[in-house]
Amino acid sequence: MTAVSPRRWFFSSESVTEGHPDKVADSISDAVLDAVLDADPTGRVACETLVTTGRVIVAGEMAFGGERELDVEGLARRTIADIGYVGFDPLFDADQVDVEVLIHQQSADIAAGVSQSLERRRGSSDPLDQLGAGDQGIMFGFAVDETPELMPLPIQLAHRLAERLSEVRRDGILDFLRPDGKTQVTVEYEDRTPVKVTSVLISAHHEPGVDLERDLRPGLWEHVVRAVIPPEMLDGEIPFLVNPSGRFEVGGPHADTGLTGRKIIVDTYGGYARHGGGAFSGKDPTKVDRSAAYAARHAAKNVVAAGLAAKCELQLAYAIGQAKPFSVHVETFGTCQVDPGRLEKLIEDYFDFRPAAIIRRLGLDRPIYRRTAAYGHFGRQEFPWESTADAAGLAAAAEHL
């Protein structure tokens, strides 16, 4: 029989820095959410932000208890300043931008369906049936054994390049950089195995007068690319594109309007796995767009960490006002080490995907969201949904299938 050569293929993913216009918007929305949860862990928020030349609009609905007034304008200015838009561009500056706040109370119909689920209205006394899903929708979680973080390698590298791009700016290593930026990485695979990085693209916002070939390209290669990508993944000379459009002196919301929730692929798996369409930032955890996506990632990651599959994608579907998911589906792409049907049942039995259970299990009623707004919601161990503490128990339960 003729030997079959490994399939050779390429995959690219991108990330953006905290100074990208859409990420400025995400950061403001999540700063508002954190402030609400700090005042009231049961607070409800759906906050959308638009940023553009000289202007910030923060809109949406919220409801929370306590006596504290929420200074949304101050939160927006402090977030913009923390990102780095201070002192160099009067057309988008934390101290000079106009901030308009258009926030109202959460809809009574939505509040009623969330606060008292369909199951509770039908007589359930289980406290975890109290909350209904804050919206209908479909959420995906994913994990794969390509990296220690159990993330696809292209998006993991793109995120770390974007994060490093901001670090060298903040630390003064490349002091000519400004907050906006994008990264893109292409990885070559043989069958399921990533073997090398074949190209890197960085678009870096910079001050006027910087020479691309003398200053920018060598600085980014030495202090960003080589600091992030393992040398064994850089096999000789690779295409390295820097600011392919030329100068990048005008950046941030002055160059391009930003909106909350416009980077859903950057926020998740870089296009490597499916996405249900819902964004994350500015939404409290009763919104299953956010909390169920985190719960699905947590379950999929523990399945892979337990050795039950090398690649796992989990779909959850919800009906607004109902606690229990409408459906649960598991896909392991031919890598499952147990019967796939039994694995699906094991996941449903082991993980409780009702909103109240997710919030309790992952501690989602805390002000932890501002840190999620840039560099990916997944693949960063600081977040509770990245824990693999359930892997051993899941593996033990699988032995009895």
Side-chain angles (χ1 to χ4, degrees):
M1 181 180 288
T2 304
V4 178
S5 299
R7 177 183 169 233
R8 186 168 168 263
W9 54 287
F10 301 84
F11 198 87
S12 301
S13 292
E14 70 158 352
S15 184
V16 297
T17 68
E18 64 207 44
H20 184 280
D22 295 330
K23 286 296 154 196
V24 175
D26 283 343
S27 295
I28 293 170
S29 292
D30 275 335
V32 171
L33 171 61
D34 276 357
V36 169
L37 293 179
D38 188 49
D40 177 8
T42 67
R44 306 280 172 77
V45 180
C47 178
E48 313 293 341
T49 302
L50 178 148
V51 293
T52 188
T53 301
R55 193 169 179 82
V56 175
I57 299 173
V58 186
E61 51 274 350
M62 66 175 64
F64 66 102
E67 316 240 341
R68 183 166 141 195
E69 291 262 333
L70 200 63
D71 179 12
V72 174
E73 179 180 342
L75 285 167
R77 293 189 189 280
R78 287 192 294 275
T79 302
I80 294 166
D82 179 62
I83 290 169
Y85 286 105
V86 181
F88 67 85
D89 184 356
L91 294 174
F92 194 81
D93 184 283
D95 297 324
Q96 301 183 53
V97 71
D98 291 330
V99 180
E100 185 175 2
V101 179
L102 303 171
I103 291 178
H104 55 271
Q105 284 287 313
Q106 183 184 46
S107 156
D109 290 345
I110 294 175
V114 173
S115 298
Q116 190 172 54
S117 71
L118 178 64
E119 289 89 338
R120 179 56 62 91
R121 295 196 302 274
R122 288 176 173 173
S124 171
S125 59
D126 186 337
L128 294 179
D129 274 338
Q130 178 66 48
L131 291 179
D135 203 350
Q136 77 171 55
I138 300 161
M139 298 84 213
F140 287 93
F142 182 76
V144 63
D145 63 357
E146 292 178 12
T147 63
E149 300 83 4
L150 304 184
M151 286 287 286
L153 183 60
I155 187 63
Q156 194 68 9
L157 290 178
H159 280 324
R160 301 296 72 82
L161 287 170
E163 196 169 34
R164 180 63 181 165
L165 188 60
S166 287
E167 285 175 3
V168 297
R169 169 180 63 89
R170 289 178 175 275
D171 294 346
I173 296 170
L174 299 178
D175 59 4
F176 48 77
L177 293 178
R178 287 180 170 172
D180 199 355
K182 301 179 79 172
T183 64
Q184 189 167 292
V185 177
T186 301
V187 173
E188 180 182 346
Y189 287 77
E190 288 183 359
D191 290 336
R192 287 191 55 252
T193 304
V195 293
K196 63 182 177 179
V197 171
T198 59
S199 65
V200 175
L201 164 61
I202 298 180
S203 293
H205 187 198
H206 59 83
E207 65 184 29
V210 173
D211 186 277
L212 189 150
E213 294 301 329
R214 185 190 66 231
D215 303 318
L216 196 58
R217 182 186 300 276
L220 293 177
W221 179 260
E222 180 65 26
H223 298 291
V224 178
V225 177
R226 291 185 59 185
V228 168
I229 300 179
E232 64 270 18
M233 296 299 291
L234 291 170
D235 182 15
E237 296 260 342
I238 65 166
F240 177 44
L241 287 152
V242 176
N243 292 5
S245 66
R247 292 180 301 170
F248 191 178
E249 295 175 4
V250 180
H254 173 42
D256 187 15
T257 297
L259 294 168
T260 298
R262 201 159 58 176
K263 284 289 176 284
I264 58 175
I265 299 303
V266 169
D267 285 345
T268 52
Y269 307 101
Y272 196 100
R274 285 176 282 196
H275 195 294
F280 298 155
S281 289
K283 296 178 180 178
D284 74 75
T286 67
K287 276 74 173 176
V288 284
D289 275 347
R290 184 169 214 160
S291 55
Y294 292 168
R297 160 65 177 173
H298 180 242
K301 187 175 183 182
N302 277 273
V303 166
V304 175
L308 302 181
K311 191 175 185 180
C312 181
E313 184 180 75
L314 179 67
Q315 185 202 59
L316 301 174
Y318 289 85
I320 188 168
Q322 180 173 302
K324 190 176 179 181
F326 201 69
S327 69
V328 177
H329 173 69
V330 180
E331 172 62 70
T332 56
F333 308 93
T335 69
C336 197
Q337 300 301 303
V338 297
D339 179 84
R342 291 183 177 182
L343 177 63
E344 192 165 287
K345 180 67 165 57
L346 171 63
I347 290 171
E348 286 194 69
D349 290 344
Y350 196 92
F351 296 100
D352 191 336
F353 294 116
R354 291 173 294 175
I358 294 170
I359 292 167
R360 176 187 289 185
R361 181 169 71 251
L362 300 179
L364 300 185
D365 55 355
R366 298 171 290 152
I368 59 174
Y369 296 102
R370 169 70 174 82
R371 300 198 312 273
T372 70
Y375 313 118
H377 292 245
F378 308 123
R380 297 162 65 190
Q381 198 57 40
E382 63 190 289
F383 301 132
W385 48 89
E386 292 297 308
S387 168
T388 54
D390 287 299
L394 200 59
E399 291 181 1
H400 303 291
L401 289 177

